[in-house]
Amino acid sequence: MILAMHKRLAVIGFLFLLAACGGPPATEIVVPTESDESSSADLSNDDVLYTEYSDRLVGQGESSVLFFSKPTDPFSMKSDAVIRATYGSGAALVSTYRLDFQTSTGARLKYGVLVEDTFVLVDSTGARVANFVHPPADVIGTILRGRLPSPEAKL
């Protein structure tokens, strides 16, 4: 009786272990946006633009913002929508360059980026001024104007 009980507990424990480890890997679901990020559609507003990152564009005498995103990350998707709305309204004053978080290892090391949905404010020489992880919409607006948010801003 005790041996049969141990077997049942072992089987139940094994089943719980399998359930805890999960099933097959989840399929990535890409939610389409107004202007799909993979379509290289750029937004521009006079002298500032929102486009893919290029080493030769950063540090050319003007401040800029780097946005490290992951297409399937909900925080990145939300931030991308805020960026697009800001550029669409004409409120952005600095160029923003989008980097794919997974493939931009060199830039991540250079700018100290550890997680997706990170914004890096870069000065006119290309040096990092500040990093912001998962900033709220009002802070993103402040960053896109080329300013550091006030200390009272929640990050």
Side-chain angles (χ1 to χ4, degrees), residues 21-29:
C21 291
T27 305
E28 288 188 355
I29 298 172

Side-chain angles (χ1 to χ4, degrees), residues 77-90:
M77 291 169 36
K78 180 180 172 190
S79 294
D80 181 67
V82 171
I83 293 169
R84 290 179 185 281
T86 303
Y87 276 88
S89 72

